[in-house]
Amino acid sequence: MSDPVTAALLVIGDEILSGRTKDKNIGYISEYLTTIGIDLREVRVVPDVEAEIVTAIQALKSRYTYLFTTGGIGPTHDDITADCVAKACGVTIDIDPRAVAILRERYAEADLNEARLRMARIPAGADLIENPISKAPGFRIGNVIVMAGVPSIMQAMLDNVAPTLKTGVKMQVITLDAGGLPEGLYGTALGEIAKVHPGVSIGSYPSFSQGNFRNQIVLRARDAAILAAAEADVLALLARLRSDSVPI
C-alpha cells in the first residue's frame, strides 16, 4: 500500500485566538480531506504576527504533503498572509495582473483602491485559486494552498483546488456502539486489541445524552481485511462484557 498523503492546516488570525470569531473551517476541511484520501495530521492557530506565521509555514510545509492556510488574505493592514507565504517560500510578491483582471469583474476601475489591490498581491510563481463568490483569489505555491477565512469562500476555493491534489487510499471507518458499558470496564482489553492490530487506529469516545453516558468505539484503517479482523475482536470483547452482566 502506498504511503499516505498528509496535510496540515494553519489557521491565521487574532480574531480566532481572541474568541471573537468562532472557527468553522477546521472540522469542514478535516472531513473534506478525509473523504478524498488526505490525512489531516496537524492544525495550528497563529496570530497576525509575521514571524509566527512564517515560522509555522516553513515548519509545516516541509513536514507534510500539503499545507493549507485560512485567513489573512483580505484588504486590510493586518491581512499579511500573502507576504508571509512569499517570505517563507523565498520569493518576491507584487500585484499580479491576473488577480487584478479578476477583481475588475467585481469592481469598477475607480473602485480598485489601494486596499482592494492588496488582494491582488500574489507571491511570484503562484497559481491562482478561483473564488466565485467575492472574486479575490486564493493561491497555491508549491505545496502551500492559501485560502480565505470566510467559510463559504474557503469552501468554494477548496472545491476548486481539490481536483489538482494528489490523494491516497481512503481511510475506512467502523463505529461500534458500546452502549452503556463504561470505558473503565473495557479500556485495558481494548488496548490489548490495539496492540494485536497495529495497522488499525482504535479510539473510544464517550458522550452524555438524556442523562446517560454512552460510548462508541471507532476503528480506522485503509486495509479492509485488517479492519475486519480488529472489528471482530472488539465485537467479541463487547459481547463477553455484556454477557458477564457486570453492574455499571
Side-chain angles (χ1 to χ4, degrees):
M1 189 173 294
S2 59
D3 292 335
V5 180
T6 61
L9 171 60
L10 181 62
V11 180
I12 300 167
D14 292 341
E15 70 277 12
I16 300 295
L17 289 167
S18 71
R20 184 185 184 282
T21 298
K22 307 300 186 288
D23 180 85
K24 297 180 180 179
N25 292 329
I26 294 173
Y28 184 92
I29 292 172
S30 177
E31 185 174 2
Y32 192 107
L33 295 181
T34 297
T35 299
I36 65 174
I38 298 176
D39 291 354
L40 183 62
R41 294 282 182 85
E42 184 173 350
V43 176
R44 293 192 194 183
V45 184
V46 294
D48 298 312
V49 176
E50 180 183 281
E52 295 197 34
I53 298 171
V54 171
T55 297
I57 291 170
Q58 290 175 330
L60 296 173
K61 77 184 186 70
S62 64
R63 190 174 302 161
Y64 301 103
T65 311
Y66 296 111
L67 167 61
F68 296 84
T69 78
T70 61
I73 58 173
T76 61
H77 71 283
D78 58 341
D79 289 312
I80 60 174
T81 297
D83 296 87
C84 293
V85 171
K87 187 170 184 178
C89 294
V91 300
T92 59
I93 184 170
D94 205 344
I95 293 175
D96 190 310
R98 299 171 301 169
V100 174
I102 292 171
L103 291 177
R104 285 192 178 119
E105 297 174 13
R106 179 177 175 86
Y107 302 105
E109 191 68 33
D111 294 329
L112 273 180
N113 56 26
E114 181 180 353
R116 287 176 174 142
L117 284 173
R118 284 182 58 81
M119 298 186 292
R121 298 178 72 252
I122 306 292
D127 296 318
L128 301 186
I129 300 174
E130 183 183 356
N131 167 11
I133 297 176
S134 62
K135 291 301 181 181
F139 61 87
R140 173 180 175 177
I141 179 167
N143 68 335
V144 182
I145 297 158
V146 179
M147 303 182 294
V150 178
S152 60
I153 300 176
M154 182 283 297
Q155 291 169 21
M157 289 181 173
L158 190 56
D159 283 339
N160 282 316
V161 78
T164 71
L165 302 177
K166 172 186 175 183
T167 58
V169 179
K170 294 180 182 179
M171 187 71 74
Q172 300 181 53
V173 181
I174 292 175
T175 300
L176 302 177
D177 189 2
L181 290 173
E183 288 184 304
L185 192 61
Y186 61 73
T188 299
L190 193 65
E192 293 303 316
I193 292 174
K195 291 178 183 178
V196 173
H197 303 279
V200 182
S201 171
I202 302 177
S204 177
Y205 303 97
S207 62
F208 190 76
S209 177
Q210 299 179 341
N212 295 304
F213 276 103
R214 295 191 68 82
N215 295 312
Q216 290 185 323
I217 297 174
V218 179
L219 299 87
R220 299 180 176 88
R222 288 186 168 80
D223 186 294
I226 65 173
L227 183 63
E231 178 189 17
D233 284 352
V234 174
L235 287 172
L237 169 65
L238 295 177
R240 185 170 67 252
L241 292 174
R242 289 176 180 131
S243 67
D244 288 344
S245 299
V246 177
I248 297 173

